[in-house]
């Protein structure tokens, strides 16, 4: 526990003002038919920054995070990831996809492949690595997320927490510059949540740029560099955890915090 | 803060704006599709061109004129065994196919349900027998079965004048099976009008009874009441049906009306209907794509769809306006229909609705055969009939069994727990759920059965395929005949799937 | 208790009756506890209604059995028609002096079967006591029918003795320990052994084809055994010894790799046997060296170089543009006159080039891709050459083989080619591209809306009309194409069901790790979809096999046609249609029934593996 505290404090001390922009969103809007899910979202996420996105259900958190990975297509505004604009350009889409890792709420592991193959499939076929190298990397990643002994099992044979850690390892295997997490712990039992959060903390420490949608306030307080609060498809408030949890400016944020805490 | 914003915009600017065409996903998407469409159209064009050249080289004409020419065909059975024109011959074939399909569907369903329930029986022997029935019949190809039944039937003893019908009721020989025939005669249409009135009355009575049941809670037997009403009307109708002779006059007036409508009116009517539907579709379409604030967002697929509907409607309107044949066909067939109905009602009061006759045997030439009195299944008909009915019954039985077993045991236990009797739980709990599972595969089986009747060609039953083959062998018009086949079967399939889908949708709504 | 639960669950899950049958046969502990009278009461006379049903059905069974037996054993029946014409039924009039080719083909297939059985560890353990019980039932059935049948005294005694013997064996085996089991393969080969032994003892009939005589078919009773008993014995020997050989070797070599080789052998060997062994093409060496081999060498060399280059990871969209260009050239070749083989190979190269980015990678992967290309070239060029070369196996009719063999051949080609076409159609029907969806849906619904026979007639009558000048297609080929198109539409619907069962999350996960659409489809979507689609697809395969009978309607000499029209035309066997048809039914029944049983077993095994 104390270990974690020191870790987070070292993190917060770090100076990010001179870091490069990693994700830039400018006036991003998105409609589902009549319904406007994103309404001019603008935000910048710097390299090595950990951003936690909070907000009530249906506020557009998932939609936004999925736009950054082109799982959804935004209709207005611009999204630039590591200097590459997400547009109709095929090459850009491929590039962004292979630089942005994503972890889903429902894990979405490939049920017909072993854990090892789940992790090494994309490096082999997308990154064009030799098979042996990709499998060594898979073993190393499994060690990193703490389940090296499960390599030859199928996803269906693992617990939820183990599956989510495999999903993280799968995303990491592409050596992404950014990791997106969409409620990675909300499908898990309480005792499994900690093992996944620990992996995420370790990842944050190692300097990964991360964008996390979560309802784990402890994680947000401890690890986040910045917190964004969304409501009705807009970013209502943005700031450091200290600012956000102690004296939020917006009424809506206060209401949300009073309900959650 | 200022520098920060500047930096951001510079990052955005650094990103190139123009996307080269070959990397643009939208361009790739549509070029691929249009490319495939082009390949498909080009291949079809190429094949059609080849066929045209070849046909011309062989001096084969592909017109539909054979439909009006007298063919030299004798059909084994049907509404008209020596048709006057090629079209009439094909029509007889269609009627034969439909007749076989309808009769086959009814019998296969009944037999299949019986076998399926037997398969679930707690009697060991019955269960095994049903299993044997299913496994044997569904693993032997239908065609082999049909040919076998045909071989068995034609190997039966000869029909002869001496032997005579068995007790005058049922007769089985190498000419098929002959049974007494009940048929509708002149008074039928008047009688059925009485029954229709009865049905209307029954509907209201049932409603009344249900209302009473809802109010008082006593068992009012609404269904029995309705059934009883219909029966009463049917019975009374046997004596009073001539009162409805006047209906003929109404039809005659309608026919005259149709004779006097100009074709232009029909054209205008049809076009306006088409325009109306297309316009409504497009309006609804826009409405569904428009947000509450009036923001319209169309994706590339939507534009494609609109072009498709618009072009379709336009082509349909042009066809309707340019081709007078369609309008006059509608008018003529309307007039003919009402004339026909008029004739059905113009009979004297003494005519009976039904008549019955025993089978008879005649000897027109050298060999004896069944006369027209009895209801005769020729060996061809019988072979196809037994073939499709037995074969399909095996599949239907499996569907029924699967559907009933798929209802969870807990449902029956729950029904028992709330005190429903065995019959009540079957009627109100098990069957409604089982039917939902059973219906879609049943529809599939009905489709299969209809298509399977085409194997009749192997045993010489005059269905559409067999008649068509004879026609094109004589006239050489293979292409038109095949087009007629395909159109006919597609229409049948479409009709059946529309009916089944209708029931599926209804069932689902009832469920919720 | 567990046993009881088991049986109900199989009853509910499996839509198959005989499965439930076998599982209720596995109920002995429960049933054995009941005395026979109790069992009867519980299962046959539990209520008045049930008793009436039982009595009626027993009476019906006895009547039907009696009628059937008097039909079968009527002296007028000509069962020898089937036995005598066995060769005609199986291979039509394949030349007598070349018959060894057929045995070689069969032997090779049996060899493959033996090896595959060993490698896939087929066969399950059957309790000996269970076998004993079945034998008892069979023996009792034989005794019953013998007593009912109108046999001569001698025959009655022989059959009674056989029945008693079987019952004796059953009695001997029944009390065996529950632990004692025997492999179902052993039982199967035992049954075959008995059948083959009977060849050495019983003189079945035989026919031979004499072209100078009318009728051309000469039937001489009693010689089938002479010509087939030795080959069949060898065949059994081949199958059994290949099984044991493979058992020895399977632990010493890489199992996954050898399974892949075996699967490939199953796909390729029928082609090879058909076109090289059975058809024996009369290759024209001049043409071979002047045209075929140069074309082959050109395409393999140029193609490999091109593909080696296109599979470089950094090639980018340059590769796509080049492969699209090749595709256009491929289609363009149809506009100008040239050798058909060049057109086909160009198109083939275009598809390989289009797929190249999917399989690109480091050197070993690229070299593997080039090797696959060369292997494809070898097979394609050889096949095209072999098909275009006249056959030395001259037989009456327009095709070198007929009877049951042609049924199997068309079935094989249909399955092998309809499967990929069906998958493509299904992918197109579920694609995001509206024009793809419309084309595919129209095609599928059209084909599914009309009966197979109309499509077959259309192809057999109309195909010559659609072909360009100078190209012709035998009726068999045209009909096979009709079958392929028809089955592909149905398989596409099965596959579509599987595709729809793959969740959106799977698609998104694959996209999120940066896979292209092709990679997503090949590595993630199809493997899952096909697994779900296996049961309905097996059903469709069985249906296809049954539909091969339709060949008879369009006048192809398949074995239904021979049984119905050819054999009853022989002067010796007038009016033997029913007997022959019963034989045909039996063949179909046995094959279809065992296919569906086997598929259920495999399905269960796959289902267990998933958990
Ligand atoms: N594919 C879709 N089609 C139509 N509407 C959608 C679709 N996906 C999301 N929406 C709508 O967009 C809005 C934003 O959804 P989103 O999933 O982003 O919310 P969220 O903030 O992630 O909520 P939660 O915390 O419940 O996950 C919701 O109102 C949802 O109904
Ligand atoms: Mg969400």
């Amino acid at each position: 526990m104390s270990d974690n505290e020191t870790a987070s404090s070292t993190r917060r001390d770090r100076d990010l003002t001179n870091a490069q922009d990693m994700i830039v969103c400018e006036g991003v809007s998105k409609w589902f038919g009549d319904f406007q899910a994103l309404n001019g979202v603008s935000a910048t996420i710097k390299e090595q920054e950990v951003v936690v996105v909070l907000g009530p259900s249906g506020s557009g958190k998932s939609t936004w995070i999925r736009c950054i990975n082109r799982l959804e297509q935004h209709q207005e505004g611009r999204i630039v990831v590591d200097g590459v604009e997400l547009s109709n350009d095929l090459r850009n889409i491929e590039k962004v996809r292979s630089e942005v890792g994503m972890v889903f709420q429902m894990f979405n592991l490939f049920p017909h492949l072993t854990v090892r193959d789940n992790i090494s499939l994309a490096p082999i076929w997308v990154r064009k690595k030799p098979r042996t190298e990709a499998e060594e990397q898979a073993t190393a990643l499994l060690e990193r997320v703490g389940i090296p002994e499960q390599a030859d099992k199928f996803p269906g044979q693992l617990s939820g927490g183990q599956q989510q850690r495999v999903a993280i390892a799968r995303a990491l295997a592409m050596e992404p510059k950014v990791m997106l997490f969409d409620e990675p712990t909300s499908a898990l039992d309480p005792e499994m949540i900690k093992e996944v959060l620990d992996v995420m903390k370790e990842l944050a420490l190692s300097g990964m740029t991360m964008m996390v949608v979560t309802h784990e306030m402890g994680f947000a307080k401890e690890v986040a560099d910045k917190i964004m609060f969304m409501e009705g498809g807009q970013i209502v408030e943005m700031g450091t955890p200290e600012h956000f949890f102690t004296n939020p400016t917006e009424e809506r944020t206060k209401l949300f915090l009073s309900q959650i805490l | 803060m200022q520098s920060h914003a500047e930096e951001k915009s510079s990052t955005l600017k650094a990103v190139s704006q123009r996307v080269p065409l070959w990397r643009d996903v939208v361009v790739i998407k549509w070029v691929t599709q249009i490319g495939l469409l082009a390949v498909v159209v080009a291949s079809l064009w190429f094949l059609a061109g080849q066929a045209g050249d070849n046909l011309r080289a062989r001096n084969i004409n592909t017109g539909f004129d054979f439909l009006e020419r007298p063919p030299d065909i004798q059909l084994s059975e049907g509404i008209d065994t020596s048709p006057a024109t090629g079209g009439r011959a094909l029509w007889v074939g269609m009627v034969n196919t439909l007749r076989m399909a309808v009769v086959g569907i009814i019998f296969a369903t009944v037999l299949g349900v019986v076998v399926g329930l037997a398969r679930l029986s707690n009697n060991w022997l019955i269960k095994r027998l049903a299993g044997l029935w299913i496994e044997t019949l569904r693993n032997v190809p239908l065609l082999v079965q049909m040919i076998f039944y045909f071989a068995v039937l034609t190997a039966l003893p000869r029909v002869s004048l001496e032997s005579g019908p068995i007790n005058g009721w049922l007769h089985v020989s190498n000419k098929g099976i002959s049974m007494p025939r009940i048929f509708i005669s002149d008074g039928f249409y008047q009688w059925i009008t009485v029954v229709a009135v009865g049905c209307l009355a029954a509907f209201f009575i049932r409603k009344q009874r249900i209302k009473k049941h809802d109010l008082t809670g006593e068992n009012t037997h609404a269904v029995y009441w309705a059934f009883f009403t219909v029966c009463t009307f049917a019975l009374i109708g046997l004596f009073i049906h001539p009162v409805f002779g006047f209906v003929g006059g109404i039809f005659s007036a309608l026919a005259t009306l149709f004779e006097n409508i100009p074709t232009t009116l029909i054209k205008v009517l049809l076009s306006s209907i088409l325009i109306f539907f297309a316009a409504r579709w497009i309006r609804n379409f826009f409405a569904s794509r428009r947000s509450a604030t009036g923001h319209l967002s169309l994706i590339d697929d939507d534009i494609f769809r609109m072009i498709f509907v618009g072009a379709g409607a336009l082509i349909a309107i042009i066809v309707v306006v340019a081709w007078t044949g369609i309008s006059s066909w509608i008018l003529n067939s309307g007039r003919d229909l009402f004339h026909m109905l008029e004739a059905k009602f113009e009979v004297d009061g003494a005519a009976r609705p039904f008549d019955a006759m025993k089978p008879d045997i005649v000897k027109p030439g050298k060999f004896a055969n069944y006369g027209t009195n009895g209801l005769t299944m020729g060996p061809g008909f019988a072979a196809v009939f037994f073939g499709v009915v037995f074969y399909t019954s095996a599949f239907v039985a499996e569907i029924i069994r699967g559907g009933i077993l798929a209802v969870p045991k807990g449902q029956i236990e729950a029904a028992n727990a709330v005190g429903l009797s065995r019959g009540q739980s079957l009627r109100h709990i098990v069957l409604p759920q089982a039917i939902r599972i059973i219906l879609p595969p049943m529809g599939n089986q009905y489709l299969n059965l209809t298509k399977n009747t085409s194997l009749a060609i192997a045993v010489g039953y005059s269905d559409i395929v067999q008649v068509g083959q004879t026609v094109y062998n004589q006239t050489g018009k293979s292409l038109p005949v095949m087009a007629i086949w395909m159109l006919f079967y597609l229409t049948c399939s479409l009709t059946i799937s529309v009916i089944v889908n209708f029931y599926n949708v209804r069932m689902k709504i009832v469920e919720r | 208790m567990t046993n009881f639960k088991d049986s109900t669950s199989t009853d509910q899950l499996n839509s198959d009756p005989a499965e439930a049958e076998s599982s209720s046969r596995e109920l002995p502990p429960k049933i054995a506890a009941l005395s026979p009278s109790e069992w009867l009461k519980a299962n046959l006379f539990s209520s008045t209604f049930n008793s009436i049903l039982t009595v009626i059905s027993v009476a019906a069974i006895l009547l039907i059995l009696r009628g059937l037996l008097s039909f079968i054993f009527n002296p007028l029946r000509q069962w020898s028609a089937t036995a005598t014409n066995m060769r005609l039924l199986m291979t039509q009039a394949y030349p007598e002096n070349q018959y060894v080719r057929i045995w070689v083909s069969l032997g090779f297939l049996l060899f493959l079967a033996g090896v595959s059985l060993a490698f896939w560890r087929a066969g399950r353990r059957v309790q000996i006591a269970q076998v004993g019980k079945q034998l008892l039932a069979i023996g009792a059935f034989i005794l019953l029918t013998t007593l009912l049948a109108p046999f001569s005294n001698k025959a009655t005694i022989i059959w009674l003795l056989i029945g008693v013997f079987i019952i004796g064996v059953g009695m001997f085996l029944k009390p065996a320990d529950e632990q004692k089991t025997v492999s179902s393969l052993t039982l199967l080969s035992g049954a075959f052994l008995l059948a083959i032994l009977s060849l050495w003892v019983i003189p079945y009939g035989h026919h031979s084809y004499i072209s100078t005589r009318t009728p051309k078919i000469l039937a001489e009773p009693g010689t089938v055994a002479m010509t087939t008993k030795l080959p069949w014995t060898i065949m059994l020997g081949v199958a059994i010894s290949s099984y044991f050989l493979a058992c020895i070797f399977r632990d010493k070599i890489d199992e996954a790799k050898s399974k892949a080789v075996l699967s490939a052998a199953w796909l390729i060997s029928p082609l090879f046997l058909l076109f090289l062994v059975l058809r024996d093409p009369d290759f024209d060496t001049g043409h071979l060296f002047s045209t075929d081999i140069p074309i082959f060498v050109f395409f393999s060399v140029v193609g490999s170089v091109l593909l080696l280059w296109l599979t470089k990871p950094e090639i980018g969209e340059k590769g796509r543009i080049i492969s699209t260009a090749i595709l256009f050239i491929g289609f363009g070749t149809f506009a100008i006159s040239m050798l058909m083989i060049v057109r086909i190979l160009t198109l083939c190269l275009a598809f390989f080039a289009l797929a190249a980015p999917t399989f690109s990678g480091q050197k070993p992967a690229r070299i593997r891709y080039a090797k696959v290309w060369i292997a494809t070239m070898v097979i394609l060029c050889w096949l095209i050459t072999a098909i275009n070369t006249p056959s030395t196996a001259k037989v009456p009719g327009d095709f070198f083989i007929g009877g049951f063999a042609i049924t199997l051949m068309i079935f094989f080609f249909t399955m092998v080619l309809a499967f990929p076409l069906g998958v493509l159609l299904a992918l197109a029907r579920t694609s995001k591209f509206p024009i793809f969806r419309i084309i595919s849906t129209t095609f599928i619904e059209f084909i599914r809306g009309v009966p197979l026979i109309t499509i077959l007639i259309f192809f057999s009558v109309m195909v010559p009309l659609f072909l360009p000048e100078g190209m012709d297609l035998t009726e068999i080929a045209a009909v096979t194409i009709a079958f392929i198109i028809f089955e592909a539409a149905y398989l596409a619907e099965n596959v579509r069901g599987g595709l729809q069962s793959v969740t959106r999350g799977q698609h998104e996960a694959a996209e999120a790790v940066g896979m292209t659409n092709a990679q997503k489809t090949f590595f993630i979507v199809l493997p899952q979809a096909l697994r779900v689609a296996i049961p309905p697809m097996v059903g469709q395969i069985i249906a296809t096999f049954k539909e091969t009978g339709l060949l008879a309607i369009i006048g192809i000499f398949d074995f239904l046609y021979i049984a119905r029209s050819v054999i009853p035309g022989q002067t010796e066997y007038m009016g033997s249609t029913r007997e022959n048809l019963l034989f045909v039914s039996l063949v179909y029944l046995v094959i279809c029934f065992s296919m569906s049983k086997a598929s259920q077993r495999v399905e269960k095994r796959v289902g267990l593996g998933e958990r």
Side-chain angles (χ1 to χ4, degrees), chain B residues 22-23 28-30 32-37 39-40 46-48 50-52 54-55 58 60 119-132 134-145 147-153 155-156 301 304-305 308 391 395 398 401-402 405-407 409 444 447-448 450-452 454-455 457-460 465 469 472 478-479 482 485-487 489-491 493, chain C residues 4 8 10-12 14-21 24-25 39 42-46 49-51 53-54 57-58 61 71 317-318 320-321 328 331 334 432-439 445-455 457-459 461-462 464-469 486 490 542 545-547 549-553 560 564 577-579 581-582 584-586 588-590 592-593 596-597 600:
Chain B
W22 64 87
R23 264 165 40 194
I28 294 178
K29 177 177 171 183
W30 286 96
T32 326
Q33 294 185 71
I34 292 170
L36 182 82
L37 191 67
V39 168
V40 169
F46 175 76
L47 288 177
Q50 282 300 335
N54 284 329
L55 287 171
R58 290 174 208 191
I60 304 175
R119 191 75 191 94
L120 291 170
S121 146
N122 53 4
N123 184 318
W124 183 87
L125 197 61
I126 297 284
K127 197 157 76 179
R128 282 300 122 88
L129 280 180
L132 187 70
I134 293 170
E135 284 302 321
T136 320
L137 289 175
R138 73 171 180 180
N139 280 319
V140 175
L142 173 58
L143 180 64
V144 179
Q145 288 187 39
I147 298 180
F148 181 73
Y149 301 143
F150 188 70
V152 169
L153 282 167
L156 287 172
D301 287 7
F304 172 80
R305 269 183 220 137
F308 200 73
Y391 187 73
F395 289 91
E398 278 300 273
R401 187 178 89 104
L405 284 181
V407 177
K409 241 191 172 144
N444 236 341
L447 267 175
N448 285 346
T450 309
K451 287 186 280 173
N452 280 339
S454 63
L455 297 183
I457 190 177
V459 292
V465 177
Q469 200 180 31
Y472 77 63
S478 43
L479 209 56
M482 284 181 198
W485 283 350
M486 308 268 173
L487 212 66
Y489 278 110
L490 283 179
T491 317
S493 305
Chain C
F4 173 65
T8 47
T10 36
D11 241 311
Q12 288 179 354
N14 267 302
S15 55
D16 188 88
E19 195 50 45
E21 204 171 298
S24 57
R25 244 190 261 124
W39 185 88
N43 288 299
L44 296 178
F45 301 100
S46 56
F49 178 63
N50 259 340
S51 312
L53 274 183
T54 307
S57 46
V58 165
I61 292 174
F71 172 79
E317 49 285 321
K318 220 188 303 170
R320 274 192 203 119
I321 295 174
F328 271 105
F331 283 120
F334 283 88
K432 278 178 291 191
F433 294 7
I435 295 187
F436 280 25
R437 279 202 306 266
I438 290 175
I439 293 177
E445 291 308 326
F446 179 82
I447 299 291
R448 281 162 48 91
V450 299
L452 174 57
I453 185 66
T454 57
I455 300 179
I457 294 180
F458 179 83
F459 269 77
V461 175
M462 303 301 285
L465 288 182
F466 286 106
L467 288 179
E469 196 73 17
F486 186 78
Y490 281 80
I542 296 174
F545 186 68
K546 285 189 285 180
E547 274 154 3
L550 264 62
L551 292 170
I553 297 185
L560 179 57
R564 187 198 186 189
T577 322
R578 283 169 295 173
E579 292 86 328
L581 285 174
L582 276 179
V584 171
S585 314
L586 193 70
Y588 272 115
L589 181 65
V590 168
C592 295
F593 184 74
S596 65
K597 282 281 97 72
Q600 274 159 16

Side-chain angles (χ1 to χ4, degrees), chain A residues 58 61-63 105 182-183 213:
Chain A
K61 307 180 296 286
S62 302
T63 309
Q105 180 179 359
D182 190 0
E183 308 200 13
V213 175

Side-chain angles (χ1 to χ4, degrees), chain B residues 155-331:
Chain B
L156 287 172
R158 283 228 183 92
V159 61
S160 70
L161 284 177
E162 288 78 49
S163 68
I166 302 169
N167 300 330
W169 291 103
L170 184 73
H171 197 104
V172 182
S173 76
N174 69 340
K175 292 287 183 194
I177 301 165
S178 197
M179 288 172 280
R181 185 164 66 115
I182 300 175
F183 57 97
I184 55 182
S185 61
D186 296 341
F188 179 77
Y189 290 88
Q190 297 167 8
W191 177 78
I192 205 79
T193 319
V194 181
V195 176
V197 173
C199 286
L200 207 68
F203 177 74
F204 283 111
I205 287 180
R206 181 165 162 268
K207 226 172 170 180
Q208 210 61 43
R209 300 302 297 179
I210 288 177
K211 210 182 208 169
K212 193 171 174 209
H213 170 82
D214 289 347
L215 285 178
T216 62
E218 68 184 86
N219 201 346
T220 51
H221 302 290
V223 176
Y224 295 125
W225 271 75
F227 182 71
F228 184 71
T229 315
V230 175
C231 287
T232 318
F233 269 84
L235 217 71
I236 297 174
L238 288 180
F239 305 101
I240 62 148
H241 63 82
V243 244
F244 279 95
F246 71 89
V247 183
I250 300 175
F251 286 127
S252 135
L254 279 172
T256 331
L257 182 67
F258 264 71
E259 250 160 57
N260 295 325
I261 295 177
T263 46
T264 330
L265 191 67
I266 295 291
K267 276 183 194 173
V268 172
L269 210 67
L270 282 179
S271 313
S272 4
I273 290 174
L274 280 171
I275 292 172
F276 172 75
F277 276 108
R280 209 178 70 160
W281 187 88
I282 290 179
R283 210 191 61 205
N284 287 348
F285 185 77
F286 271 116
S288 71
R289 291 294 184 279
R290 200 184 292 278
S291 69
T293 52
H295 180 94
L296 187 66
S297 58
L298 291 177
I299 56 171
D300 45 1
D301 287 7
D302 296 341
I303 294 168
F304 172 80
R305 269 183 220 137
M306 276 168 16
I307 293 175
F308 200 73
V309 171
L314 202 67
I315 292 174
I317 290 171
I318 291 174
V319 168
V320 164
V321 172
W323 191 5
T324 314
I326 294 182
S327 318
S328 51
W329 177 80
I330 291 177
L331 282 177

Side-chain angles (χ1 to χ4, degrees), chain B residues 395-458:
Chain B
F395 289 91
V396 170
E398 278 300 273
I399 293 170
I400 298 285
R401 187 178 89 104
I404 291 179
L405 284 181
V407 177
K409 241 191 172 144
Q411 292 286 321
I412 301 167
E413 281 160 10
N416 289 341
V418 297
L420 292 182
S421 76
R422 208 182 126 95
Q424 280 171 330
S425 77
L426 197 70
R427 203 181 119 212
H428 294 295
I429 310 294
V430 178
L431 280 187
Q433 299 190 40
I435 290 224
R436 254 186 58 242
I437 304 168
I438 288 171
L439 216 60
M442 277 298 239
N444 236 341
Q445 286 308 321
Y446 291 161
L447 267 175
N448 285 346
L449 188 146
T450 309
K451 287 186 280 173
N452 280 339
T453 55
S454 63
L455 297 183
I457 190 177

Side-chain angles (χ1 to χ4, degrees), chain C residues 2 87 118 123 136 140 157 189 203 268 346 360 378 381 397 417 439 449 470 545 548 551 581:
Chain C
T2 47
R87 178 176 281 186
L136 272 184
I157 290 170
S189 25
I268 295 168
T346 317
S360 66
V378 171
C381 289
L417 296 173
I439 293 177
F545 186 68
T548 51
L551 292 170
L581 285 174

